[in-house]
Coordinates of all heavy atoms in Angstrom, one line a residue:
M1 N 0.8 -1.2 0.0 CA 0.0 0.0 0.0 C 0.9 1.2 0.0 O 1.9 1.3 0.7 CB -0.9 0.0 1.2 CG -1.7 1.3 1.4 SD -3.5 1.3 1.2 CE -4.0 -0.3 1.5
E2 N 0.6 2.2 -0.9 CA 1.2 3.4 -0.9 C 0.3 4.5 -0.3 O -0.9 4.4 -0.3 CB 1.5 3.9 -2.4 CG 2.2 2.8 -3.2 CD 3.7 2.6 -2.8 OE1 4.3 3.6 -2.3 OE2 4.1 1.5 -2.9
F3 N 0.9 5.5 0.3 CA 0.2 6.6 0.9 C 0.5 7.9 0.2 O 1.7 8.2 0.0 CB 0.5 6.7 2.4 CG 0.1 5.5 3.2 CD1 1.0 4.4 3.4 CD2 -1.2 5.3 3.6 CE1 0.6 3.3 4.1 CE2 -1.6 4.1 4.3 CZ -0.6 3.1 4.5
Q4 N -0.5 8.6 -0.1 CA -0.3 9.9 -0.9 C -1.3 10.9 -0.4 O -2.5 10.6 -0.1 CB -0.5 9.6 -2.4 CG -0.1 10.7 -3.3 CD 0.0 10.3 -4.7 OE1 0.2 9.1 -5.1 NE2 -0.2 11.2 -5.6
S5 N -0.8 12.2 -0.3 CA -1.7 13.3 0.2 C -2.7 13.6 -0.9 O -2.5 13.4 -2.1 CB -0.9 14.5 0.4 OG 0.1 14.3 1.5
P6 N -3.9 14.1 -0.5 CA -4.9 14.5 -1.4 C -4.4 15.6 -2.4 O -3.6 16.5 -1.9 CB -6.1 15.0 -0.6 CG -5.6 15.2 0.8 CD -4.3 14.4 0.9
L7 N -4.8 15.6 -3.6 CA -4.4 16.6 -4.6 C -2.9 16.7 -4.8 O -2.4 17.8 -5.1 CB -5.0 18.0 -4.3 CG -6.5 18.0 -4.1 CD1 -7.0 19.3 -3.7 CD2 -7.2 17.5 -5.4
S8 N -2.2 15.6 -4.6 CA -0.7 15.6 -4.8 C -0.4 14.8 -6.0 O -1.2 14.1 -6.5 CB 0.0 15.1 -3.6 OG -0.3 13.7 -3.4
K9 N 0.9 14.9 -6.5 CA 1.3 14.1 -7.6 C 2.7 13.5 -7.3 O 3.6 14.2 -6.8 CB 1.5 15.0 -8.9 CG 1.9 14.3 -10.1 CD 1.7 15.2 -11.4 CE 2.7 16.3 -11.4 NZ 2.7 17.0 -12.7
L10 N 2.8 12.2 -7.6 CA 4.0 11.4 -7.4 C 4.3 10.6 -8.6 O 3.4 10.1 -9.3 CB 3.9 10.5 -6.1 CG 3.8 11.2 -4.8 CD1 3.5 10.1 -3.7 CD2 5.0 12.0 -4.4
D11 N 5.6 10.3 -8.8 CA 6.0 9.4 -9.8 C 5.9 7.9 -9.4 O 6.3 7.6 -8.3 CB 7.5 9.6 -10.2 CG 7.8 10.9 -10.9 OD1 6.8 11.5 -11.4 OD2 8.9 11.3 -10.9
Y12 N 5.4 7.1 -10.2 CA 5.3 5.6 -10.0 C 6.1 5.0 -11.1 O 5.9 5.2 -12.3 CB 3.9 5.1 -10.0 CG 3.2 5.5 -8.7 CD1 2.7 6.8 -8.5 CD2 3.1 4.6 -7.6 CE1 2.1 7.2 -7.3 CE2 2.5 5.0 -6.4 CZ 2.0 6.3 -6.3 OH 1.4 6.7 -5.1
L13 N 7.0 4.1 -10.7 CA 7.9 3.4 -11.7 C 7.7 1.9 -11.6 O 7.7 1.3 -10.5 CB 9.4 3.8 -11.3 CG 10.5 2.9 -12.0 CD1 10.5 3.1 -13.5 CD2 11.8 3.2 -11.4
Y14 N 7.6 1.3 -12.8 CA 7.7 -0.1 -12.9 C 9.0 -0.4 -13.6 O 9.1 0.0 -14.8 CB 6.5 -0.7 -13.6 CG 6.7 -2.2 -13.8 CD1 6.5 -3.1 -12.7 CD2 7.0 -2.8 -15.0 CE1 6.7 -4.4 -12.8 CE2 7.2 -4.2 -15.1 CZ 7.1 -5.0 -14.0 OH 7.3 -6.3 -14.2
D15 N 9.9 -1.1 -13.0 CA 11.2 -1.5 -13.6 C 11.2 -3.0 -13.8 O 11.2 -3.8 -12.8 CB 12.3 -1.1 -12.6 CG 13.7 -1.4 -13.2 OD1 13.8 -1.9 -14.3 OD2 14.7 -1.1 -12.5
A16 N 11.2 -3.4 -15.0 CA 11.1 -4.9 -15.4 C 12.5 -5.4 -15.6 O 12.6 -6.6 -15.9 CB 10.3 -5.1 -16.6
S17 N 13.6 -4.7 -15.4 CA 14.9 -5.1 -15.7 C 15.3 -6.5 -15.1 O 16.0 -7.3 -15.6 CB 15.9 -4.1 -15.4 OG 15.9 -3.8 -14.0
G18 N 14.8 -6.7 -13.8 CA 15.1 -8.0 -13.2 C 14.4 -9.2 -13.7 O 14.8 -10.3 -13.4
S19 N 13.4 -8.9 -14.6 CA 12.6 -10.0 -15.2 C 12.9 -10.3 -16.6 O 12.5 -11.3 -17.2 CB 11.1 -9.7 -15.0 OG 10.7 -9.6 -13.7
L20 N 13.7 -9.4 -17.2 CA 14.0 -9.5 -18.7 C 15.2 -10.5 -18.9 O 16.1 -10.5 -18.1 CB 14.3 -8.2 -19.3 CG 13.2 -7.1 -19.1 CD1 13.7 -5.8 -19.7 CD2 12.0 -7.5 -19.9
V21 N 15.1 -11.2 -20.0 CA 16.3 -12.1 -20.4 C 17.1 -11.3 -21.4 O 16.7 -10.3 -21.9 CB 15.8 -13.4 -21.0 CG1 15.0 -14.2 -19.9 CG2 15.0 -13.2 -22.2
A22 N 18.3 -11.8 -21.6 CA 19.2 -11.2 -22.5 C 18.6 -10.9 -23.9 O 17.9 -11.7 -24.5 CB 20.5 -12.0 -22.8
G23 N 18.7 -9.6 -24.3 CA 18.1 -9.2 -25.6 C 16.7 -8.8 -25.6 O 16.1 -8.4 -26.6
E24 N 16.0 -8.9 -24.4 CA 14.6 -8.6 -24.3 C 14.4 -7.2 -23.8 O 15.1 -6.7 -22.9 CB 13.9 -9.6 -23.3 CG 12.4 -9.4 -23.2 CD 11.8 -10.5 -22.3 OE1 12.5 -11.0 -21.3 OE2 10.7 -10.8 -22.5
N25 N 13.5 -6.5 -24.4 CA 13.2 -5.1 -24.1 C 11.7 -4.9 -23.9 O 10.9 -5.7 -24.4 CB 13.7 -4.1 -25.2 CG 15.1 -4.2 -25.4 OD1 15.9 -4.1 -24.5 ND2 15.5 -4.3 -26.7
L26 N 11.4 -3.8 -23.2 CA 10.0 -3.4 -23.1 C 9.5 -2.9 -24.5 O 10.1 -2.0 -25.1 CB 9.8 -2.3 -22.0 CG 8.4 -1.9 -21.8 CD1 8.1 -2.2 -20.3 CD2 8.3 -0.4 -21.9
S27 N 8.3 -3.4 -24.9 CA 7.8 -3.0 -26.2 C 6.6 -2.0 -26.0 O 6.5 -1.0 -26.8 CB 7.2 -4.2 -27.0 OG 8.2 -5.0 -27.4
S28 N 5.8 -2.2 -25.0 CA 4.7 -1.3 -24.7 C 4.3 -1.3 -23.2 O 4.6 -2.3 -22.5 CB 3.5 -1.6 -25.6 OG 3.0 -2.9 -25.2
A29 N 3.7 -0.2 -22.8 CA 3.2 -0.2 -21.4 C 1.9 0.5 -21.4 O 1.7 1.6 -22.1 CB 4.2 0.6 -20.5
T30 N 0.9 -0.1 -20.7 CA -0.4 0.5 -20.6 C -0.8 0.7 -19.2 O -0.7 -0.3 -18.4 CB -1.5 -0.4 -21.3 OG1 -1.1 -0.6 -22.7 CG2 -2.9 0.2 -21.3
W31 N -1.1 1.9 -18.8 CA -1.5 2.2 -17.4 C -3.0 2.2 -17.3 O -3.7 2.7 -18.2 CB -1.0 3.5 -17.0 CG 0.5 3.5 -16.8 CD1 1.5 3.6 -17.8 CD2 1.2 3.4 -15.6 NE1 2.7 3.6 -17.2 CE2 2.6 3.4 -15.8 CE3 0.8 3.2 -14.2 CZ2 3.6 3.3 -14.8 CZ3 1.8 3.1 -13.3 CH2 3.1 3.1 -13.6
D32 N -3.6 1.7 -16.2 CA -5.0 1.7 -15.9 C -5.2 2.3 -14.5 O -4.7 1.8 -13.5 CB -5.6 0.3 -16.0 CG -7.1 0.3 -15.8 OD1 -7.8 1.3 -16.1 OD2 -7.6 -0.7 -15.2
L33 N -5.9 3.5 -14.4 CA -6.1 4.2 -13.2 C -7.6 4.2 -12.8 O -8.4 4.5 -13.6 CB -5.6 5.6 -13.3 CG -4.1 5.8 -13.8 CD1 -3.8 7.2 -13.9 CD2 -3.2 5.1 -12.8
E34 N -7.8 3.9 -11.5 CA -9.2 3.9 -11.0 C -9.6 5.4 -11.0 O -8.8 6.3 -10.8 CB -9.2 3.3 -9.6 CG -10.6 3.2 -9.0 CD -10.5 2.4 -7.7 OE1 -9.6 1.7 -7.4 OE2 -11.5 2.6 -7.0
S35 N -10.9 5.6 -11.0 CA -11.5 6.9 -10.9 C -11.0 7.6 -9.7 O -10.9 7.0 -8.6 CB -13.0 6.8 -10.9 OG -13.6 8.1 -10.7
G36 N -10.6 8.9 -9.8 CA -10.0 9.6 -8.6 C -8.5 9.7 -8.8 O -7.8 10.4 -8.0
L37 N -7.9 9.0 -9.7 CA -6.5 9.1 -10.0 C -6.3 9.6 -11.5 O -7.1 9.3 -12.3 CB -5.7 7.8 -9.9 CG -5.8 7.1 -8.6 CD1 -5.1 5.7 -8.7 CD2 -5.1 7.9 -7.5
T38 N -5.3 10.5 -11.7 CA -5.0 11.0 -13.0 C -3.6 10.8 -13.3 O -2.7 11.1 -12.5 CB -5.4 12.5 -13.0 OG1 -6.7 12.7 -12.6 CG2 -5.2 13.1 -14.4
G39 N -3.3 10.3 -14.5 CA -1.9 10.1 -14.9 C -1.4 11.0 -16.0 O -2.2 11.4 -16.9
T40 N -0.2 11.5 -15.9 CA 0.4 12.4 -16.9 C 1.9 12.1 -17.0 O 2.5 11.5 -16.1 CB 0.3 13.9 -16.5 OG1 0.9 14.1 -15.2 CG2 -1.2 14.4 -16.4
G41 N 2.5 12.4 -18.1 CA 3.9 12.3 -18.3 C 4.4 10.9 -18.4 O 5.5 10.7 -17.9
Q42 N 3.7 10.0 -19.0 CA 4.2 8.7 -19.1 C 5.6 8.7 -19.9 O 5.7 9.3 -20.9 CB 3.3 7.7 -19.9 CG 3.7 6.3 -20.0 CD 2.7 5.4 -20.5 OE1 1.5 5.6 -20.5 NE2 3.2 4.2 -21.1
A43 N 6.6 8.0 -19.3 CA 7.9 7.9 -19.9 C 8.3 6.4 -19.9 O 8.4 5.8 -18.8 CB 8.9 8.7 -19.1
D44 N 8.5 5.8 -21.1 CA 8.9 4.4 -21.2 C 10.3 4.3 -21.6 O 10.8 5.2 -22.4 CB 8.0 3.7 -22.2 CG 6.5 3.7 -21.8 OD1 6.2 3.8 -20.6 OD2 5.7 3.7 -22.7
T45 N 11.0 3.3 -21.1 CA 12.4 3.0 -21.5 C 12.4 1.6 -22.0 O 11.4 0.9 -22.0 CB 13.4 3.2 -20.3 OG1 13.1 2.2 -19.3 CG2 13.3 4.6 -19.7
V46 N 13.6 1.1 -22.3 CA 13.7 -0.3 -22.7 C 13.5 -1.3 -21.6 O 13.3 -2.5 -21.8 CB 15.0 -0.6 -23.4 CG1 15.1 0.2 -24.7 CG2 16.2 -0.4 -22.5
T47 N 13.5 -0.8 -20.3 CA 13.3 -1.7 -19.2 C 12.1 -1.4 -18.2 O 11.9 -2.1 -17.3 CB 14.6 -1.7 -18.3 OG1 14.9 -0.4 -17.8 CG2 15.8 -2.3 -19.1
G48 N 11.4 -0.2 -18.5 CA 10.4 0.1 -17.6 C 9.5 1.3 -18.0 O 9.7 1.8 -19.1
S49 N 8.6 1.6 -17.1 CA 7.7 2.7 -17.4 C 7.4 3.5 -16.2 O 7.3 3.0 -15.1 CB 6.3 2.1 -18.0 OG 5.4 3.2 -18.3
T50 N 7.3 4.8 -16.3 CA 7.0 5.7 -15.2 C 5.8 6.6 -15.6 O 5.6 7.0 -16.7 CB 8.2 6.7 -15.0 OG1 9.4 5.9 -14.7 CG2 8.0 7.6 -13.8
L51 N 5.0 6.9 -14.6 CA 3.8 7.7 -14.7 C 3.7 8.6 -13.5 O 3.9 8.1 -12.4 CB 2.6 6.9 -14.9 CG 1.3 7.6 -15.3 CD1 1.4 8.2 -16.7 CD2 0.1 6.7 -15.1
D52 N 3.4 9.9 -13.7 CA 3.1 10.8 -12.6 C 1.6 10.6 -12.3 O 0.8 10.8 -13.2 CB 3.3 12.3 -13.1 CG 4.7 12.6 -13.4 OD1 5.6 12.0 -12.8 OD2 5.0 13.5 -14.2
I53 N 1.3 10.3 -11.1 CA -0.1 10.0 -10.7 C -0.5 11.0 -9.7 O 0.1 11.2 -8.6 CB -0.3 8.6 -10.2 CG1 0.1 7.5 -11.2 CG2 -1.7 8.4 -9.6 CD1 0.0 6.1 -10.8
A54 N -1.6 11.8 -10.0 CA -2.2 12.8 -9.2 C -3.4 12.2 -8.5 O -4.2 11.4 -9.2 CB -2.5 14.0 -9.9
T55 N -3.6 12.5 -7.2 CA -4.8 12.0 -6.5 C -5.9 13.1 -6.5 O -5.6 14.3 -6.6 CB -4.4 11.6 -5.1 OG1 -3.8 12.8 -4.4 CG2 -3.4 10.5 -5.0
S56 N -7.1 12.6 -6.2 CA -8.2 13.5 -6.0 C -8.2 14.0 -4.5 O -7.2 13.7 -3.8 CB -9.5 12.7 -6.3 OG -9.7 11.7 -5.3
D57 N -9.3 14.6 -4.1 CA -9.4 15.1 -2.7 C -10.2 14.1 -1.9 O -10.7 14.5 -0.8 CB -9.9 16.5 -2.7 CG -11.3 16.6 -3.2 OD1 -11.8 15.6 -3.8 OD2 -11.9 17.7 -3.1
E58 N -10.4 12.9 -2.3 CA -11.2 11.9 -1.7 C -10.4 11.2 -0.5 O -10.1 10.1 -0.5 CB -11.7 10.8 -2.6 CG -12.5 11.4 -3.8 CD -12.8 10.3 -4.8 OE1 -13.5 9.3 -4.5 OE2 -12.3 10.4 -5.9
V59 N -10.2 12.0 0.6 CA -9.5 11.5 1.7 C -10.1 10.3 2.3 O -11.4 10.2 2.4 CB -9.4 12.7 2.8 CG1 -8.7 12.2 4.1 CG2 -8.6 13.8 2.2
G60 N -9.3 9.3 2.7 CA -9.8 8.1 3.3 C -10.1 7.0 2.3 O -10.5 5.9 2.7
T61 N -9.9 7.2 1.0 CA -10.2 6.2 0.1 C -8.9 5.5 -0.4 O -7.9 6.1 -0.3 CB -11.0 6.8 -1.2 OG1 -10.2 7.8 -1.8 CG2 -12.3 7.4 -0.7
T62 N -9.1 4.3 -1.0 CA -7.9 3.6 -1.5 C -8.3 3.4 -3.0 O -9.3 2.9 -3.4 CB -7.7 2.3 -0.8 OG1 -7.5 2.5 0.6 CG2 -6.5 1.5 -1.4
K63 N -7.3 3.8 -3.9 CA -7.5 3.7 -5.3 C -6.4 2.7 -5.9 O -5.3 2.6 -5.3 CB -7.4 5.0 -6.0 CG -8.3 6.1 -5.4 CD -9.7 5.8 -5.8 CE -10.6 6.9 -5.3 NZ -12.0 6.7 -5.7
K64 N -6.8 2.1 -7.0 CA -5.8 1.2 -7.6 C -5.3 1.7 -8.9 O -6.0 2.3 -9.8 CB -6.6 -0.1 -8.0 CG -5.7 -1.2 -8.6 CD -6.5 -2.5 -8.9 CE -5.7 -3.5 -9.6 NZ -6.5 -4.7 -9.9
A65 N -4.0 1.6 -9.1 CA -3.2 2.0 -10.3 C -2.5 0.7 -10.8 O -1.9 0.0 -10.0 CB -2.2 3.1 -10.0
S66 N -2.6 0.4 -12.1 CA -2.0 -0.8 -12.6 C -1.2 -0.4 -13.9 O -1.6 0.5 -14.6 CB -3.0 -1.8 -13.0 OG -3.8 -2.2 -11.9
V67 N -0.1 -1.1 -14.2 CA 0.6 -1.0 -15.4 C 0.7 -2.4 -16.0 O 1.0 -3.4 -15.2 CB 1.9 -0.3 -15.3 CG1 2.9 -1.0 -14.4 CG2 2.5 0.0 -16.7
R68 N 0.6 -2.6 -17.3 CA 0.8 -3.8 -18.0 C 1.8 -3.6 -19.1 O 1.6 -2.7 -19.9 CB -0.6 -4.3 -18.6 CG -0.5 -5.6 -19.3 CD -1.9 -6.0 -19.8 NE -1.9 -7.4 -20.3 CZ -2.0 -7.7 -21.6 NH1 -2.2 -6.8 -22.5 NH2 -2.0 -9.0 -21.9
V69 N 2.9 -4.3 -19.0 CA 4.0 -4.1 -20.0 C 4.1 -5.4 -20.8 O 3.9 -6.5 -20.3 CB 5.3 -3.8 -19.3 CG1 5.2 -2.5 -18.6 CG2 5.8 -4.8 -18.4
T70 N 4.4 -5.2 -22.1 CA 4.6 -6.3 -23.0 C 6.1 -6.2 -23.5 O 6.5 -5.0 -23.8 CB 3.7 -6.3 -24.2 OG1 2.3 -6.3 -23.7 CG2 3.9 -7.4 -25.1
T71 N 6.8 -7.3 -23.6 CA 8.2 -7.2 -24.0 C 8.4 -7.6 -25.4 O 7.4 -8.2 -26.1 CB 9.0 -8.2 -23.1 OG1 8.7 -9.5 -23.4 CG2 8.8 -7.9 -21.6
S72 N 9.6 -7.4 -25.9 CA 9.9 -7.8 -27.3 C 9.8 -9.3 -27.6 O 9.7 -9.7 -28.7 CB 11.3 -7.3 -27.6 OG 12.3 -7.8 -26.7
K73 N 9.8 -10.1 -26.5 CA 9.7 -11.5 -26.7 C 8.3 -12.0 -26.4 O 8.0 -13.2 -26.3 CB 10.7 -12.3 -25.8 CG 12.1 -12.0 -26.2 CD 13.1 -12.9 -25.5 CE 14.5 -12.6 -25.9 NZ 15.0 -13.1 -27.1
G74 N 7.3 -11.0 -26.2 CA 5.9 -11.4 -26.0 C 5.5 -11.7 -24.6 O 4.4 -12.0 -24.3
N75 N 6.5 -11.5 -23.6 CA 6.1 -11.7 -22.2 C 5.3 -10.5 -21.7 O 5.5 -9.4 -22.2 CB 7.4 -11.9 -21.4 CG 8.1 -13.2 -21.7 OD1 7.5 -14.2 -21.8 ND2 9.4 -13.1 -21.8
I76 N 4.4 -10.8 -20.8 CA 3.6 -9.7 -20.2 C 3.7 -9.7 -18.7 O 3.6 -10.8 -18.1 CB 2.1 -10.0 -20.6 CG1 1.9 -9.9 -22.1 CG2 1.2 -9.0 -19.9 CD1 0.5 -10.3 -22.6
F77 N 4.0 -8.6 -18.2 CA 4.1 -8.4 -16.7 C 3.2 -7.3 -16.3 O 2.9 -6.3 -17.0 CB 5.6 -7.9 -16.4 CG 6.6 -8.9 -16.8 CD1 7.4 -8.6 -17.9 CD2 6.8 -10.1 -16.2 CE1 8.4 -9.5 -18.3 CE2 7.8 -11.0 -16.5 CZ 8.6 -10.6 -17.6
T78 N 2.6 -7.5 -15.1 CA 1.7 -6.4 -14.5 C 2.2 -6.1 -13.2 O 2.8 -6.9 -12.5 CB 0.3 -6.9 -14.5 OG1 0.2 -8.1 -13.6 CG2 -0.3 -7.2 -15.8
R79 N 1.9 -4.9 -12.8 CA 2.2 -4.4 -11.4 C 1.0 -3.5 -11.0 O 0.5 -2.7 -11.7 CB 3.5 -3.5 -11.5 CG 3.8 -2.7 -10.2 CD 4.2 -3.6 -9.0 NE 5.0 -2.9 -8.0 CZ 4.4 -2.3 -7.0 NH1 3.1 -2.3 -6.8 NH2 5.2 -1.7 -6.1
D80 N 0.5 -3.8 -9.8 CA -0.5 -3.0 -9.2 C 0.0 -2.2 -8.0 O 0.8 -2.7 -7.2 CB -1.7 -3.9 -8.7 CG -2.3 -4.7 -9.8 OD1 -2.4 -4.2 -10.9 OD2 -2.7 -5.9 -9.5
W81 N -0.6 -1.0 -7.8 CA -0.4 -0.2 -6.6 C -1.7 0.1 -6.0 O -2.7 0.4 -6.7 CB 0.3 1.1 -6.9 CG 1.7 1.0 -7.3 CD1 2.9 1.1 -6.5 CD2 2.2 0.9 -8.6 NE1 4.0 1.1 -7.3 CE2 3.6 0.9 -8.6 CE3 1.6 0.7 -9.9 CZ2 4.4 0.8 -9.7 CZ3 2.4 0.6 -11.0 CH2 3.8 0.6 -10.9
Y82 N -1.8 0.0 -4.7 CA -3.0 0.5 -4.0 C -2.6 1.8 -3.3 O -1.7 1.7 -2.4 CB -3.6 -0.6 -3.1 CG -4.1 -1.8 -3.9 CD1 -3.3 -2.8 -4.2 CD2 -5.4 -1.8 -4.3 CE1 -3.7 -3.9 -5.0 CE2 -5.9 -2.8 -5.1 CZ -5.0 -3.9 -5.4 OH -5.5 -4.9 -6.2
I83 N -3.3 2.9 -3.6 CA -2.9 4.2 -3.1 C -3.9 4.7 -2.2 O -5.1 4.9 -2.6 CB -2.7 5.2 -4.3 CG1 -1.7 4.6 -5.3 CG2 -2.3 6.5 -3.8 CD1 -1.6 5.4 -6.6
R84 N -3.6 4.8 -0.9 CA -4.4 5.4 0.1 C -4.3 6.9 0.2 O -3.2 7.4 0.3 CB -4.1 4.7 1.5 CG -4.9 5.2 2.6 CD -6.1 4.4 2.7 NE -6.8 4.8 4.0 CZ -8.1 4.6 4.1 NH1 -8.8 4.0 3.2 NH2 -8.7 5.0 5.2
I85 N -5.4 7.6 0.0 CA -5.4 9.0 0.0 C -5.6 9.5 1.4 O -6.7 9.3 2.0 CB -6.4 9.6 -1.0 CG1 -6.2 9.1 -2.4 CG2 -6.4 11.1 -1.0 CD1 -7.3 9.4 -3.4
Q86 N -4.6 10.1 2.0 CA -4.7 10.6 3.3 C -3.7 11.8 3.5 O -2.8 11.9 2.8 CB -4.4 9.5 4.4 CG -3.0 9.0 4.4 CD -2.8 7.9 5.4 OE1 -3.6 7.1 5.6 NE2 -1.6 8.0 6.0
H87 N -4.1 12.6 4.5 CA -3.2 13.8 4.8 C -1.9 13.2 5.4 O -1.9 12.3 6.2 CB -3.9 14.7 5.8 CG -5.1 15.4 5.2 ND1 -4.9 16.4 4.3 CD2 -6.4 15.2 5.4 CE1 -6.1 16.8 3.9 NE2 -7.0 16.1 4.6
Q88 N -0.8 13.8 5.0 CA 0.5 13.3 5.5 C 1.1 14.4 6.5 O 0.6 15.5 6.5 CB 1.5 13.2 4.3 CG 1.0 12.3 3.2 CD 0.9 10.9 3.6 OE1 1.9 10.3 4.1 NE2 -0.2 10.3 3.4
G89 N 2.0 14.0 7.2 CA 2.7 14.9 8.1 C 2.4 14.6 9.6 O 2.0 13.5 9.9
A90 N 2.7 15.6 10.4 CA 2.5 15.4 11.9 C 1.1 15.0 12.3 O 0.2 15.6 11.7 CB 3.0 16.6 12.6
S91 N 0.9 14.1 13.2 CA -0.4 13.8 13.6 C -0.8 14.5 14.9 O -0.1 15.0 15.6 CB -0.5 12.3 13.8 OG 0.6 11.7 14.3

């Protein structure tokens, strides 16, 4: 579970380099964000994908963000994050 302040934006990175075999590269990445999350600035490399994810002001909710990557050898990997929207800092 990740924790993020309401109306904030953080980078989320999926790095597949540990799962790739010699000569295999990332071919595509598709992000799926639950309502209340907004993604911008997707950046893909030969080994991973990054997305800036902004949260809504729905404090106390948990939202799901997923990325699905396909490699040059046809392998498919997915990664899910569960993002809890809450105020951060001193309690």
Side-chain angles (χ1 to χ4, degrees):
M1 172 111 27
E2 305 294 329
F3 297 93
Q4 193 167 331
S5 297
L7 303 175
S8 66
K9 182 169 66 169
L10 294 175
D11 291 344
Y12 286 80
L13 166 66
Y14 177 71
D15 181 3
S17 61
S19 301
L20 302 175
V21 297
E24 186 175 27
N25 297 312
L26 182 114
S27 295
S28 66
T30 304
W31 289 82
D32 183 30
L33 305 177
E34 188 174 340
S35 175
L37 299 176
T38 306
T40 58
Q42 181 173 339
D44 299 333
T45 67
V46 294
T47 60
S49 181
T50 302
L51 187 70
D52 296 331
I53 298 179
T55 58
S56 67
D57 61 355
E58 300 174 64
V59 174
T61 61
T62 300
K63 305 292 184 176
K64 182 179 177 183
S66 301
V67 64
R68 181 176 192 249
V69 299
T70 303
T71 72
S72 57
K73 295 192 182 279
N75 292 315
I76 297 172
F77 301 106
T78 59
R79 168 70 160 93
D80 298 327
W81 290 266
Y82 292 90
I83 302 168
R84 177 87 174 159
I85 302 171
Q86 67 180 39
H87 292 287
Q88 304 294 308
S91 37

